[in-house]
Every structure is written in structure tokens, then in C-alpha cells.
Amino acid sequence: MKYTRMPIEVESPEEYGYEKIKYNLSESSIADQTLGSLGLQIPDLKLLYNEHKGSTALRTLIVKDHDNPTHDDVLITSGAAGALFIISSSQLAPTDHLVVVRPNYATNLETPRAIGCEITFIDLSFESGFQIDITAVEAAIQPNTKMISITTPHNPTGTIVDRDTLDRLVSLTKERGIILLVDETYADISYQGRLPIAASLGDHVISVSSLSKSYGIPGIRLGWIINKNPKLQETFLAAKEQISISGSVIDEWIAEQVLCHKDKILSATTKEMDQRREIVADWIKKEGELIEWVRPEGGVVCFPHLKKEPVGGMDAFYHRLLHKYGTYVGPGHWFEQPDTFMRIGYGWPSVEELKGGLEAISMALREA
């Protein structure tokens, strides 16, 4: 495999330096939590190799209140990124073909590229509300297509695949003998109610998620794969065992405590994120001559579009936004899109920082 660093990681705020940023609107999660904010104190845990699939208690909590999947269908991984790496590296070869809906989370693009498989991109358009065109997906399928990859709620737009489209994708991939990979990392924050776990709809469907984005604990590196096909799960487990054998006892303990209070946490978080979404909506409305968006229906990010290039061009705009106004956003090239798009994360900063960052964007757009 030939690895190349992803722009989204090279230019990430932690690499640039948090201390240099006044208004950080580039993050894709809610605010980072602490053990104290979660009300947790780590007990005297035995630091052994735990269950290779992940603790039974944790896997049970992940599928609690969902129809169909059981804890046996869940594999704990090192974040969603670890899950996606396991899936791509175990299922794709240079002779395979992959269909990827784009824009997409960078790992869904770069790991298949490192493997060397052929990739066809289905580019979502602003004009269509970033919704998937099933006809385009079907037309992209080749005899050697092994997998189709989508995200919902979508990163970076916050749009959600409707149930009819999801069902059609499940049916299409089942008929063609193709794996359907659904990255559901933001699914727990859905403003109109969440879809079912995609993996519950067929044993050829793989769901991936984590606690990083909706729960604000990326530091414990806790994600998972859900799939109802025992042969696939055996392969994924073999890959995990060769990468790390098992997961972290401490990480899994923290995850269990958080998921024991999932309903309470998500109720409060979703209410707050909806209020923050309205702050962004009001700003977009105020700046309607310069900026447009597709209103997000899930997650904590959106992908506004500049109607025209600012004075001096895009590079100059992003330079003054950061160096004069101390504001960091995710430029479109992080997602292989034009830099007239930018990802704004409204869940990570404080409300005051969010408002300050939006105002900074307004000022940077109007200056030369």
C-alpha cells in the first residue's frame, strides 16, 4: 500500500496549533469532553487483553434499542477510521472497483487509493441538495465492483439520505452482489429522527460509527463495525487481531459508562446542536447575497458555498480569515471540492466563539 498524508490531516487544527486559533470552526464534533465533565473516575481496572471483538457489555449497549442487530454483529475498532481501514484493506484489492459518493470523509477516499483499486466518484451537487442520484450510482457499477461507499448523515454537508433512497441502495447492491458501506458516524444527532442502522437491512451492508463526533470523546479512539454476515465479521476480526489483537480496556470502560447514559446525553446534545444550527441559519440568511447553504439535518457540520470569489481570490480570503481574524474553517479542498465551499463545524466551539467566527467570516469576505 502506498500511503499519502491527507490534506485534512496535514492542515488540521491540532497540526497547525490550537494556540494560534481564536475561533475554531473547523472541527467536526461537539466540544471535547473530559473525564470530569462526564462525571467519571477511572477505577482500578485490570489492564489485560480483553475480548478481541470488544467487551460484550459494550457491544450490547451499541445495538440497544435498535431492531435486528445483536452484540454478535458488532466489532469494536480504534475509532471509525480504524473500522474503515479494516474494511477497505480486507475487502478491496487492486483488481477491484469501488464506487464512492463524494464529498466524503477522507479515509473513505485515501485508503482505497493506497490499496490501488479503481474508484468511480459520484459527486453530489449543491443544486440537488447533496442528495444521492441512484441512477448515477447504478450506471457506475462495473463487473468488478466490490463495494459502494456512502455516508449519512453526510460529512461535510450534514444532509441525510432519505429512507427510500437507502432502501433502493440496499436492494441494488443486494441484486448485484456488492457490499454497501454506510458511514453512520453522525447518526446519533439527527434533527428529524434517525434512520435504522443500515446493517440491519441486509447482511451485505456494513455500518460504521464511533463515539468521536456525537459524544465529543475522540481521544478514547472507540468505533465499531456492524455487519450480520458471520464470514465478513470473521475477516474483520482477523484484521483487528493482526493490527492490535484487542482494544483498550480503559477506552472500552469509558465507552460503556457513556452509553449507559446515551438517551440523556443525546437528548441534551441534540437540543443544543439544533439551537446552534439556528445561529448558523440566521447568519446565512443575513449574508444571503454572499453565501448559500443546504440546511443540515444531522450531525454538527455544514458546507456553505460562496456565491462569488472574494476580492483577491480564495487563497487570499482564507489567509486573511486565519491570520487577521484568527478563524479556522475546513476549506473545500479537504474534501476534493472547490474552495468556494467551506465546512463549518458549529458543535465544537462555544456559542460565543461560533458567533465570533461567523462574524469574522463576514468581515473577511468584504475586505481586500
Short mmCIF file of all heavy atoms in Angstrom, two decimals, residues 126-158:
data_model
loop_
_atom_site.label_atom_id
_atom_site.label_comp_id
_atom_site.label_asym_id
_atom_site.label_seq_id
_atom_site.Cartn_x
_atom_site.Cartn_y
_atom_site.Cartn_z
N PHE A 126 -24.53 20.75 -5.14
CA PHE A 126 -25.26 21.72 -4.31
C PHE A 126 -26.68 21.88 -4.83
O PHE A 126 -27.64 21.95 -4.05
CB PHE A 126 -24.51 23.06 -4.34
CG PHE A 126 -25.16 24.12 -3.51
CD1 PHE A 126 -24.86 24.26 -2.17
CD2 PHE A 126 -26.09 25.00 -4.07
CE1 PHE A 126 -25.46 25.23 -1.40
CE2 PHE A 126 -26.70 25.98 -3.31
CZ PHE A 126 -26.38 26.10 -1.96
N GLU A 127 -26.81 21.90 -6.16
CA GLU A 127 -28.12 22.13 -6.79
C GLU A 127 -29.12 21.04 -6.45
O GLU A 127 -30.34 21.30 -6.39
CB GLU A 127 -27.96 22.24 -8.31
CG GLU A 127 -27.20 23.47 -8.78
CD GLU A 127 -25.70 23.42 -8.49
OE1 GLU A 127 -25.16 22.29 -8.31
OE2 GLU A 127 -25.06 24.49 -8.42
N SER A 128 -28.65 19.82 -6.22
CA SER A 128 -29.55 18.71 -5.89
C SER A 128 -29.72 18.55 -4.38
O SER A 128 -30.31 17.56 -3.93
CB SER A 128 -29.02 17.41 -6.48
OG SER A 128 -27.83 17.00 -5.81
N GLY A 129 -29.21 19.51 -3.61
CA GLY A 129 -29.31 19.40 -2.17
C GLY A 129 -28.41 18.33 -1.60
O GLY A 129 -28.67 17.80 -0.52
N PHE A 130 -27.33 18.01 -2.33
CA PHE A 130 -26.37 16.97 -1.92
C PHE A 130 -27.05 15.62 -1.70
O PHE A 130 -26.66 14.84 -0.83
CB PHE A 130 -25.60 17.39 -0.65
CG PHE A 130 -24.75 18.61 -0.83
CD1 PHE A 130 -25.00 19.77 -0.08
CD2 PHE A 130 -23.69 18.61 -1.72
CE1 PHE A 130 -24.21 20.90 -0.24
CE2 PHE A 130 -22.90 19.75 -1.89
CZ PHE A 130 -23.15 20.89 -1.15
N GLN A 131 -28.05 15.32 -2.51
CA GLN A 131 -28.73 14.03 -2.41
C GLN A 131 -28.18 13.06 -3.45
O GLN A 131 -27.74 13.46 -4.54
CB GLN A 131 -30.23 14.22 -2.61
CG GLN A 131 -30.91 14.95 -1.47
CD GLN A 131 -30.76 14.25 -0.13
OE1 GLN A 131 -31.00 13.05 -0.02
NE2 GLN A 131 -30.37 15.00 0.90
N ILE A 132 -28.19 11.79 -3.13
CA ILE A 132 -27.61 10.76 -3.99
C ILE A 132 -28.53 10.46 -5.18
O ILE A 132 -29.74 10.26 -5.02
CB ILE A 132 -27.37 9.46 -3.19
CG1 ILE A 132 -26.35 9.71 -2.08
CG2 ILE A 132 -26.88 8.34 -4.11
CD1 ILE A 132 -26.16 8.53 -1.14
N ASP A 133 -27.93 10.42 -6.36
CA ASP A 133 -28.63 10.06 -7.59
C ASP A 133 -28.45 8.55 -7.81
O ASP A 133 -27.38 8.09 -8.20
CB ASP A 133 -28.04 10.85 -8.76
CG ASP A 133 -28.74 10.56 -10.09
OD1 ASP A 133 -29.50 9.58 -10.17
OD2 ASP A 133 -28.51 11.31 -11.05
N ILE A 134 -29.51 7.80 -7.53
CA ILE A 134 -29.43 6.34 -7.65
C ILE A 134 -29.09 5.91 -9.08
O ILE A 134 -28.33 4.96 -9.30
CB ILE A 134 -30.75 5.68 -7.22
CG1 ILE A 134 -31.01 5.90 -5.73
CG2 ILE A 134 -30.73 4.19 -7.52
CD1 ILE A 134 -30.11 5.12 -4.82
N THR A 135 -29.63 6.63 -10.05
CA THR A 135 -29.35 6.30 -11.45
C THR A 135 -27.86 6.41 -11.74
O THR A 135 -27.29 5.56 -12.44
CB THR A 135 -30.14 7.24 -12.39
OG1 THR A 135 -31.53 7.13 -12.10
CG2 THR A 135 -29.89 6.87 -13.84
N ALA A 136 -27.22 7.45 -11.21
CA ALA A 136 -25.78 7.63 -11.41
C ALA A 136 -24.99 6.52 -10.72
O ALA A 136 -23.99 6.02 -11.26
CB ALA A 136 -25.35 8.99 -10.90
N VAL A 137 -25.42 6.13 -9.55
CA VAL A 137 -24.74 5.04 -8.83
C VAL A 137 -24.84 3.75 -9.63
O VAL A 137 -23.85 3.04 -9.83
CB VAL A 137 -25.35 4.85 -7.42
CG1 VAL A 137 -24.77 3.61 -6.76
CG2 VAL A 137 -25.09 6.08 -6.55
N GLU A 138 -26.05 3.45 -10.10
CA GLU A 138 -26.24 2.21 -10.87
C GLU A 138 -25.41 2.22 -12.15
O GLU A 138 -24.81 1.20 -12.53
CB GLU A 138 -27.72 2.03 -11.19
CG GLU A 138 -28.03 0.70 -11.87
CD GLU A 138 -29.52 0.42 -11.94
OE1 GLU A 138 -30.32 1.34 -11.70
OE2 GLU A 138 -29.87 -0.75 -12.23
N ALA A 139 -25.34 3.37 -12.81
CA ALA A 139 -24.58 3.47 -14.06
C ALA A 139 -23.08 3.29 -13.82
O ALA A 139 -22.34 2.90 -14.74
CB ALA A 139 -24.84 4.82 -14.72
N ALA A 140 -22.62 3.58 -12.61
CA ALA A 140 -21.18 3.49 -12.30
C ALA A 140 -20.72 2.06 -12.01
O ALA A 140 -19.53 1.78 -12.00
CB ALA A 140 -20.85 4.38 -11.12
N ILE A 141 -21.67 1.16 -11.78
CA ILE A 141 -21.32 -0.21 -11.42
C ILE A 141 -20.66 -0.94 -12.59
O ILE A 141 -21.13 -0.86 -13.73
CB ILE A 141 -22.57 -0.98 -10.93
CG1 ILE A 141 -23.08 -0.36 -9.63
CG2 ILE A 141 -22.26 -2.45 -10.75
CD1 ILE A 141 -24.41 -0.94 -9.16
N GLN A 142 -19.57 -1.61 -12.31
CA GLN A 142 -18.84 -2.40 -13.30
C GLN A 142 -18.86 -3.87 -12.89
O GLN A 142 -19.24 -4.21 -11.75
CB GLN A 142 -17.39 -1.90 -13.39
CG GLN A 142 -17.27 -0.44 -13.79
CD GLN A 142 -15.82 0.02 -13.85
OE1 GLN A 142 -14.88 -0.79 -13.76
NE2 GLN A 142 -15.62 1.32 -13.97
N PRO A 143 -18.45 -4.77 -13.77
CA PRO A 143 -18.44 -6.20 -13.42
C PRO A 143 -17.59 -6.51 -12.18
O PRO A 143 -17.88 -7.47 -11.45
CB PRO A 143 -17.86 -6.87 -14.67
CG PRO A 143 -18.24 -5.95 -15.79
CD PRO A 143 -18.14 -4.57 -15.22
N ASN A 144 -16.54 -5.71 -11.95
CA ASN A 144 -15.65 -5.97 -10.81
C ASN A 144 -15.91 -5.04 -9.63
O ASN A 144 -15.07 -4.90 -8.73
CB ASN A 144 -14.18 -5.86 -11.23
CG ASN A 144 -13.82 -4.47 -11.73
OD1 ASN A 144 -14.66 -3.74 -12.22
ND2 ASN A 144 -12.54 -4.11 -11.60
N THR A 145 -17.09 -4.38 -9.62
CA THR A 145 -17.40 -3.50 -8.49
C THR A 145 -17.59 -4.34 -7.22
O THR A 145 -18.44 -5.23 -7.18
CB THR A 145 -18.68 -2.68 -8.76
OG1 THR A 145 -18.49 -1.88 -9.92
CG2 THR A 145 -19.00 -1.77 -7.58
N LYS A 146 -16.80 -4.04 -6.21
CA LYS A 146 -16.83 -4.81 -4.96
C LYS A 146 -17.64 -4.10 -3.88
O LYS A 146 -18.27 -4.76 -3.05
CB LYS A 146 -15.39 -5.02 -4.46
CG LYS A 146 -15.25 -5.90 -3.22
CD LYS A 146 -15.54 -7.34 -3.54
CE LYS A 146 -15.34 -8.25 -2.33
NZ LYS A 146 -13.93 -8.35 -1.91
N MET A 147 -17.64 -2.77 -3.92
CA MET A 147 -18.24 -2.04 -2.80
C MET A 147 -18.72 -0.66 -3.26
O MET A 147 -18.13 -0.05 -4.14
CB MET A 147 -17.22 -1.90 -1.66
CG MET A 147 -17.74 -1.32 -0.38
SD MET A 147 -16.68 -1.75 1.05
CE MET A 147 -15.15 -0.92 0.62
N ILE A 148 -19.81 -0.21 -2.62
CA ILE A 148 -20.30 1.17 -2.78
C ILE A 148 -20.25 1.82 -1.42
O ILE A 148 -20.69 1.23 -0.42
CB ILE A 148 -21.72 1.18 -3.36
CG1 ILE A 148 -21.71 0.65 -4.80
CG2 ILE A 148 -22.32 2.58 -3.31
CD1 ILE A 148 -23.09 0.48 -5.42
N SER A 149 -19.71 3.04 -1.35
CA SER A 149 -19.46 3.71 -0.08
C SER A 149 -20.23 5.02 0.00
O SER A 149 -20.07 5.89 -0.85
CB SER A 149 -17.95 3.96 0.07
OG SER A 149 -17.67 4.78 1.18
N ILE A 150 -21.05 5.16 1.07
CA ILE A 150 -21.79 6.40 1.29
C ILE A 150 -21.66 6.80 2.76
O ILE A 150 -21.22 6.00 3.60
CB ILE A 150 -23.29 6.26 0.93
CG1 ILE A 150 -24.02 5.37 1.95
CG2 ILE A 150 -23.48 5.71 -0.46
CD1 ILE A 150 -25.53 5.42 1.85
N THR A 151 -22.04 8.04 3.07
CA THR A 151 -22.14 8.48 4.46
C THR A 151 -23.50 9.11 4.69
O THR A 151 -24.04 9.78 3.81
CB THR A 151 -21.05 9.52 4.83
OG1 THR A 151 -21.30 10.72 4.10
CG2 THR A 151 -19.68 9.00 4.49
N THR A 152 -24.06 8.89 5.87
CA THR A 152 -25.31 9.55 6.26
C THR A 152 -25.46 9.50 7.78
O THR A 152 -25.29 8.42 8.36
CB THR A 152 -26.54 8.92 5.57
OG1 THR A 152 -27.70 9.73 5.87
CG2 THR A 152 -26.79 7.48 5.99
N PRO A 153 -25.72 10.62 8.45
CA PRO A 153 -25.68 11.98 7.94
C PRO A 153 -24.33 12.27 7.29
O PRO A 153 -23.30 11.79 7.72
CB PRO A 153 -25.90 12.84 9.18
CG PRO A 153 -26.65 11.96 10.12
CD PRO A 153 -26.08 10.60 9.88
N HIS A 154 -24.39 13.10 6.26
CA HIS A 154 -23.24 13.27 5.38
C HIS A 154 -22.20 14.22 5.96
O HIS A 154 -22.54 15.26 6.52
CB HIS A 154 -23.74 13.78 4.04
CG HIS A 154 -22.69 13.85 2.99
ND1 HIS A 154 -22.17 15.03 2.54
CD2 HIS A 154 -22.04 12.87 2.31
CE1 HIS A 154 -21.26 14.78 1.61
NE2 HIS A 154 -21.17 13.48 1.46
N ASN A 155 -20.94 13.82 5.85
CA ASN A 155 -19.82 14.68 6.18
C ASN A 155 -19.18 15.10 4.87
O ASN A 155 -18.75 14.23 4.10
CB ASN A 155 -18.81 13.91 7.03
CG ASN A 155 -17.61 14.75 7.45
OD1 ASN A 155 -17.55 15.94 7.24
ND2 ASN A 155 -16.63 14.09 8.06
N PRO A 156 -19.18 16.39 4.50
CA PRO A 156 -19.29 17.57 5.37
C PRO A 156 -20.60 18.35 5.32
O PRO A 156 -20.69 19.42 5.91
CB PRO A 156 -18.17 18.46 4.79
CG PRO A 156 -18.25 18.20 3.32
CD PRO A 156 -18.59 16.73 3.18
N THR A 157 -21.63 17.86 4.63
CA THR A 157 -22.80 18.72 4.38
C THR A 157 -23.88 18.64 5.46
O THR A 157 -24.71 19.54 5.57
CB THR A 157 -23.46 18.36 3.04
OG1 THR A 157 -24.09 17.07 3.15
CG2 THR A 157 -22.44 18.34 1.91
N GLY A 158 -23.90 17.56 6.23
CA GLY A 158 -24.95 17.39 7.23
C GLY A 158 -26.28 16.91 6.66
O GLY A 158 -27.27 16.81 7.40
#
